[in-house]
Amino acid sequence: GAAWDYQDMVICDQELGVMHVKFPVINFVPWENKKVNPDKWPAPLYKTSVRAGTLSTTGHSTNYVLSLEVDTNHPPNYWVLKGAALLTMLND
């Protein structure tokens, strides 16, 4: 999993034994012709922690919302291999 480092303003490793960590509020700003930044982690955002859903006509899971570019001090694949993701809500 992952957490947010409020001092360095990057994603970081979460503390042992912590299941979920709140992420900062996100301000969405629309951009035209946005180019992907390869140095940032494309964090998948899901509606719930159940990372499954039926495939929609676009080929994406109905649980998947979008990917957010998140600042990191690690290579982006570090977070992919950890299976880190953002959630809009918990299933508790």
Side-chain angles (χ1 to χ4, degrees):
W4 186 253
D5 183 335
Y6 284 91
Q7 185 170 347
D8 293 337
M9 301 302 286
V10 295
I11 193 167
C12 63
D13 289 303
Q14 71 191 47
E15 294 179 26
L16 285 173
V18 176
M19 269 308 271
H20 301 97
V21 179
K22 287 190 177 185
F23 197 77
V25 174
I26 301 166
N27 181 25
F28 288 95
V29 178
W31 286 27
E32 280 190 51
N33 304 318
K34 170 81 171 85
K35 295 199 179 7
V36 175
N37 185 338
D39 296 328
K40 294 188 177 190
W41 171 52
L45 175 65
Y46 294 96
K47 294 176 187 175
T48 69
S49 63
V50 179
R51 293 195 210 175
T54 58
L55 289 181
S56 66
T57 56
T58 62
H60 289 274
S61 167
T62 53
N63 192 29
Y64 173 80
V65 180
L66 54 85
S67 291
L68 302 170
E69 288 186 349
V70 177
D71 290 320
T72 176
N73 288 334
H74 293 286
N77 269 355
Y78 178 82
W79 303 109
V80 174
L81 293 173
K82 288 183 76 99
L86 304 176
L87 307 173
T88 60
M89 66 180 173
L90 299 176
N91 295 19
D92 300 26

